[in-house]
Amino acid sequence: MKSFYGIKESDLKDELVSLGYSKFSSSQIFDWVYRKKVKDFNLMSNIKKELREYLVSNYSLELPKIDKKEVSSDNTTKYLLRLNDNSLIETVLMYHDYGISLCVTSEVGCNMGCAFCASGLFKKKRELEASEMVSEIMTVEEDSNVKIGHIVIMGIGEPLDNFENVMNFINIINSPKGLEIGIRHITMSTCGIVPKIYELADLNLGINLAISLHAPNDEIRNKLMPISKRYKLSDLIEAIKYYYDKTKRRITFEYLMLDGINDSKENANELSDLLRGLNQYVNLIPYNEVKEFEFKTSKVDSVNVFYDTLKKRGINVTRRRKMGGDIDAACGQLRAKQLKGEI
Ligand code: SAH
């Protein structure tokens, strides 16, 4: 049986019309599932009995099980979810002054192999279906009794390595009859799979794009991120220019501050040269230390000098507040611990 959470509203409409039902029934069903949160098709009182029976025998409304949940002092809540095939994934709920956001996982494990990232400790087992990404939102909304208004696809996995499912996921959560998450409230973060950035640009969805840059030159980036050996920084920057020309959406560069690796004043100067002329902004991210690796978070003084240097050179830069630091909220940390039997 298929999961209901994987079907786009337009596809449901076509399916129902082909079965002889009215095209409005698909919006009614979306409303029951995504707004009224009803998990039993039989309770959908304005839907014809035969259609309810059809839905019951063709679609499941089952959600993943919550395997573990950790709440930090700032209320950031990390969920470890168990999928049908027993795969474990993480999703993180965050409360910001602008609203509530969820950090969504796109793959079970990750093959990008970034040297600092806990997700890479376990290779990719499989891609997530669109339905499984949607169910991350549904599970957390149900458990925490909140309405999630912003989505960041920044959990475990590389979204551009699971392109089609992620595109379907975005379509489903953006549906005005369903979760109605605004397209400008959806951010996708990528390590920079260059051909897929072109593909994404051509779709011109209107989502926010964040690039995990983490280095001002190929030499440092090669040491941190294997993807950098496939696509040089100059190719990545070309793709980003194309993306901007097509979409006119400003791109965020994420820059992880790693002590003694990429955080010198010289690195800041080099970064400003690299980004000059692009309509961009840089987000300096504090590194959540991972015990398996030797990387350390940059010292406060280095972050300040780095920040001031970029500012002086006309680069828009912000410092990301650290959230959930006391609960293993860094990518893949909770899952890694669980898989190693440490919790
Ligand atoms: N694969 C995508 C999305 C998942 S990673 C990407 O690379 O962007 C989301 C972000 O978390 C990336 O910027 C990644 O570099 C960063 N990250 C990974 N491990 C981290 C850690 N221990 N502390 C802080 N950020 C981390």
Side-chain angles (χ1 to χ4, degrees), residues 194-225:
V194 166
K196 295 286 174 191
I197 294 177
Y198 285 98
E199 222 175 295
L200 188 66
D202 289 338
L203 292 176
N204 203 352
L205 295 178
I207 59 168
N208 304 306
L209 184 64
I211 304 282
S212 296
L213 193 66
H214 306 331
N217 60 41
D218 284 321
E219 193 193 340
I220 299 178
R221 203 163 192 263
N222 282 343
K223 288 188 190 138
L224 298 175
M225 305 173 71

Side-chain angles (χ1 to χ4, degrees), residues 9-20:
E9 207 216 318
S10 55
D11 288 345
L12 183 63
K13 190 181 287 176
D14 291 347
E15 181 176 339
L16 299 186
V17 168
S18 75
L19 292 167

Side-chain angles (χ1 to χ4, degrees), residues 92-145:
V92 186
L93 178 68
M94 290 169 285
Y95 296 84
H96 309 272
D97 35 11
Y98 58 79
I100 297 177
S101 79
L102 191 72
C103 178
V104 167
T105 280
S106 58
E107 297 182 314
V108 183
C110 186
N111 276 346
M112 297 300 118
C114 299
F116 47 79
C117 179
S119 302
L121 288 169
F122 298 91
K123 287 277 155 263
K124 178 168 101 176
K125 215 168 94 181
R126 65 176 176 87
E127 293 166 351
L128 283 192
E129 303 284 337
S131 61
E132 292 170 319
M133 290 179 258
V134 175
S135 70
E136 293 178 51
I137 304 176
M138 295 298 281
T139 308
V140 173
E141 284 197 342
E142 180 177 274
D143 183 71
S144 288
N145 204 13

Side-chain angles (χ1 to χ4, degrees), residues 224-288:
L224 298 175
M225 305 173 71
I227 192 76
S228 166
K229 293 183 185 139
R230 235 158 84 208
Y231 308 108
K232 290 193 307 250
L233 271 180
S234 53
D235 297 337
L236 182 57
I237 298 291
E238 272 312 301
I240 286 164
K241 281 188 184 146
Y242 180 85
Y243 187 90
Y244 181 76
D245 286 343
K246 277 263 153 165
T247 65
K248 296 289 174 252
R249 304 282 298 151
R250 186 163 78 159
I251 290 163
T252 309
F253 288 99
E254 298 163 279
Y255 196 99
L256 208 48
M257 299 297 292
L258 298 167
D259 185 40
I261 306 279
N262 63 359
D263 64 347
S264 69
K265 189 169 177 173
E266 192 193 344
N267 296 150
N269 279 322
E270 214 174 341
L271 183 63
S272 5
D273 290 340
L274 182 74
L275 302 183
R276 173 149 321 110
L278 298 173
N279 187 349
Q280 49 19 49
Y281 80 93
V282 176
N283 199 348
L284 301 179
I285 308 173
Y287 180 59
N288 269 317

